[in-house]
Amino acid sequence: MKSNPSDLPAELAGLLERSQARLGPLSAVQWFSEVASTNDVAASLPEGAVVLADRQTAGRGRRGHAWFSPPGSGLYASVVLAPGRAADPLRATLLLTLAAGVALAEGIDAVSGLRVDLKWPNDLYVSRRKLAGILAEASGEHVVLGFGINTSVASYPPDLHERVTSIESALGRSIDRYPVFVETLAALSRRYDDLLLGRFDAILDAWRRRAPSAVGARVGRTVNGVVETGVTAGIDDNGGLLVRMGDRVERIVSGELEWL
Ligand code: BTN
């Protein structure tokens, strides 16, 4: 079953209307009660399109994981961006998911006051439990930036319960999902502007401030069956994670890293 933009829930439509000036190019929101994956729906839409679903039947996470997407428990959304039209397209593309992580943290913070930790490359944690994740996928000249934010975990299976959290569990009270969504979109719009206009230091500074584990945390990775461990030493200006391993510093660009 599928809805269309005219079926936006009334509360969401009102909030979007009142926030239009802050949403910049991200104001064309399509709402669906159910989709396989919002990233798939967004893949055929133009820059600035936003897809939000109440439920996903085949929500995807990074590295082949599924993203559990039950109705009423989270925000499952995708926005279509075009970093290729930035003043510096390469750096804008490299820093896109870091910018998105900052924006999600800012949106959640603005509504709930929750202080969310960013974990490289783009996970959002509260007290070592995952609150939200980002999946960026290339689609022609565009990037489909998908994000999932857990708002309540009441119906999650027990194994997930131990590893994830939600805004409601972290706050200890109920919250309304739609203001979180709208503030996150507004923050994404601001950070997208930073990317397009080359304000990369603003993004990097904000990311570093919200990412305590990017410095001094023990991490490991498996290379040819051998586990190498190291200690994080910050991110460089292109978003790569620096890890001190013995007497050398490695630059890690893919997420195949375990946090110990
Ligand atoms: C991760 O942390 O592994 C990334 C999770 C991304 C989940 C979101 S939910 C909306 C969008 N549609 C998807 O199928 N995935 C992303």
Side-chain angles (χ1 to χ4, degrees), residues 172-184:
R173 63 176 165 85
S174 61
I175 53 115
D176 201 347
R177 283 181 299 166
Y178 296 136
V180 176
F181 174 68
V182 173
E183 286 311 311
T184 299

Side-chain angles (χ1 to χ4, degrees), residues 1-253:
M1 197 188 29
K2 205 163 116 164
S3 302
N4 61 45
S6 63
D7 298 315
L8 278 175
E11 186 207 344
L12 176 58
L15 286 169
L16 288 169
E17 170 95 45
R18 286 195 289 284
S19 308
Q20 206 166 15
R22 299 188 297 129
L23 300 180
L26 308 182
S27 55
V29 178
Q30 302 191 16
W31 188 83
F32 294 82
S33 57
E34 178 180 308
V35 293
S37 159
T38 55
N39 270 27
D40 293 342
V41 178
S44 59
L45 298 175
E47 183 193 1
V50 182
V51 176
L52 174 67
D54 187 43
R55 167 172 197 245
Q56 296 184 118
T57 53
R60 292 195 290 280
R62 286 200 316 276
R63 289 183 277 151
H65 292 291
W67 187 259
F68 189 60
S69 314
S73 292
L75 290 164
Y76 319 114
S78 301
V79 301
V80 183
L81 304 177
R85 69 176 181 84
D88 181 344
L90 178 61
R91 253 185 114 196
T93 303
L94 289 172
L95 295 180
L96 181 74
T97 58
L98 294 193
V102 169
L104 263 65
E106 289 172 336
I108 293 166
D109 194 347
V111 176
S112 67
L114 255 190
R115 192 70 199 177
V116 175
D117 290 341
L118 296 175
K119 192 168 132 196
W120 187 91
N122 46 39
D123 288 330
L124 283 81
Y125 275 72
V126 174
S127 305
R128 301 182 74 100
R129 286 169 180 248
K130 188 155 167 170
L131 180 81
I134 292 166
L135 176 69
E137 295 179 317
S139 172
E141 290 176 359
H142 295 147
V143 172
V144 173
L145 185 101
F147 59 91
I149 301 174
N150 304 327
T151 49
S152 67
V153 294
S155 61
Y156 278 42
D159 63 316
L160 271 184
H161 249 293
E162 284 157 26
R163 289 181 286 122
V164 305
T165 189
S166 67
I167 299 179
E168 292 196 346
S169 334
L171 285 178
R173 63 176 165 85
S174 61
I175 53 115
D176 201 347
R177 283 181 299 166
Y178 296 136
V180 176
F181 174 68
V182 173
E183 286 311 311
T184 299
L185 266 195
L188 263 176
S189 173
R190 287 193 302 272
R191 294 303 179 182
Y192 186 40
D193 248 10
D194 285 346
L195 280 176
L196 293 179
L197 298 173
R199 294 191 293 247
F200 301 125
D201 284 347
I203 294 167
L204 290 163
D205 290 349
W207 193 91
R208 288 178 177 123
R209 275 199 304 276
R210 290 181 184 267
S213 67
V215 178
R218 277 189 18 97
V219 292
R221 65 170 179 180
T222 306
V223 180
N224 300 327
V226 179
V227 179
E228 295 182 335
T229 60
V231 175
T232 58
I235 54 165
D236 68 13
D237 286 350
N238 286 326
L241 181 69
L242 305 174
V243 178
R244 179 167 294 284
M245 291 178 159
D247 54 7
R248 68 183 200 282
V249 174
E250 293 253 337
R251 178 173 188 270
I252 315 280
V253 289

